[in-house]
Amino acid sequence: MHSDLDRILVSSWEIQARVIELGRAISEDYANTGQLLTVGILKGSTIFMADLVRAITVPVSFDFMAVASYGQSSSSSGVVRILKDLDQTIEGRDVLLIEDIVDTGLTLNYLLETLRTRNPASLRVCVLLDKPDRRKVEVSVDYLGFEIPDEFVVGYGLDYNELYRNLADVWVLKPGVYGKKRNSESRSQNSE
Ligand code: 5GP
């Protein structure tokens, strides 16, 4: 099962410690607001979100969105297709978007622009992993787990061809497995 994996980049212990810190910071920041609505982006953020919400001590409710990039040719446009939209209106709500990884920033930028048009009371972002080297558009991340180098990673919710999401650690995939295919192209074939 692990023959495609190169090495552990972020261990489960590091993740758990950071998740506790993030949960504490989020709980403090939302201590005086109403109920927090956490919006997880399927499927990559599910494991992170499950741990994070249990580290948050203010009242929280959940919703989810699923998105996919349009084809390779338009991936640079950052236009994503919404495969599953929110179940509820976010007007007047305090929304915390939870994403697994930000790479070019195009997906997050699109999601934020889309959600902003729905007039939430506030909209913040919590991301587990940030790969700043390939950023194409600036996105402001309010709560970040770890900054990592430009390598293709799997585990703790992140997949390669739908595998490895269940790994407790974040691993680097062997370069030969991933080949020269870039992240955004891979993503265009599979929804998160
Ligand atoms: P962006 O629009 O920021 O380029 O793309 C973000 C999305 O690309 C992530 O939500 C994820 O689905 C995918 N992605 C980017 N880098 C990686 C990576 O290293 N591993 C995995 N599994 N997915 C990645």
Side-chain angles (χ1 to χ4, degrees):
M1 175 189 180
H2 288 189
S3 63
D4 290 346
L5 305 178
D6 188 23
R7 65 186 193 281
I8 291 177
L9 190 65
V10 191
S11 74
S12 64
W13 297 110
E14 291 173 282
I15 295 170
Q16 293 316 320
R18 187 71 189 122
V19 164
I20 299 296
E21 289 175 356
L22 291 172
R24 199 171 289 148
I26 291 166
S27 303
E28 281 172 14
D29 291 351
Y30 288 91
N32 298 316
T33 54
Q35 192 187 72
L36 175 62
L37 176 63
T38 53
V39 172
I41 308 305
L42 298 171
K43 304 171 193 167
S45 73
T46 49
I47 309 273
F48 176 43
M49 179 162 162
D51 283 343
L52 182 68
V53 291
R54 284 178 289 178
I56 295 175
T57 52
V58 297
V60 163
S61 59
F62 308 164
D63 209 336
F64 296 94
M65 287 179 85
V67 296
S69 298
Y70 277 108
Q72 185 179 331
S73 57
S74 62
S75 62
S76 60
S77 71
V79 176
V80 303
R81 207 157 31 108
I82 295 179
L83 302 177
K84 184 220 168 294
D85 208 335
L86 297 172
D87 291 338
Q88 58 201 285
T89 172
I90 58 167
E91 187 164 357
R93 300 292 307 273
D94 292 296
V95 176
L96 180 64
L97 197 61
I98 300 179
E99 186 48 313
D100 52 0
I101 187 164
V102 54
D103 185 16
T104 63
L106 293 168
T107 306
L108 197 52
N109 188 51
Y110 177 86
L111 283 168
L112 286 171
E113 281 182 358
T114 302
L115 294 181
R116 253 183 227 119
T117 64
R118 303 181 187 183
N119 300 319
S122 67
L123 180 59
R124 288 187 185 157
V125 178
C126 181
V127 174
L128 176 68
L129 302 171
D130 182 10
K131 292 202 287 195
D133 293 353
R134 295 217 314 140
R135 193 74 90 254
K136 287 185 181 163
V137 56
E138 268 323 301
V139 283
S140 88
V141 172
D142 302 280
Y143 307 98
L144 173 65
F146 303 92
E147 191 174 298
I148 61 167
D150 180 17
E151 295 186 276
F152 194 86
V153 292
V154 295
Y156 199 67
L158 290 118
D159 77 310
Y160 176 65
N161 287 343
E162 290 300 325
L163 282 176
Y164 307 121
R165 294 191 196 276
N166 59 319
L167 300 177
D169 309 287
V170 170
W171 290 73
V172 176
L173 202 67
K174 279 186 184 155
V177 176
Y178 185 58
K180 299 205 182 314
K181 190 187 282 202
R182 300 305 307 189
N183 304 333
S184 56
E185 295 165 11
S186 165
R187 189 231 174 98
S188 71
Q189 295 163 6
N190 307 292
S191 68
E192 283 187 78

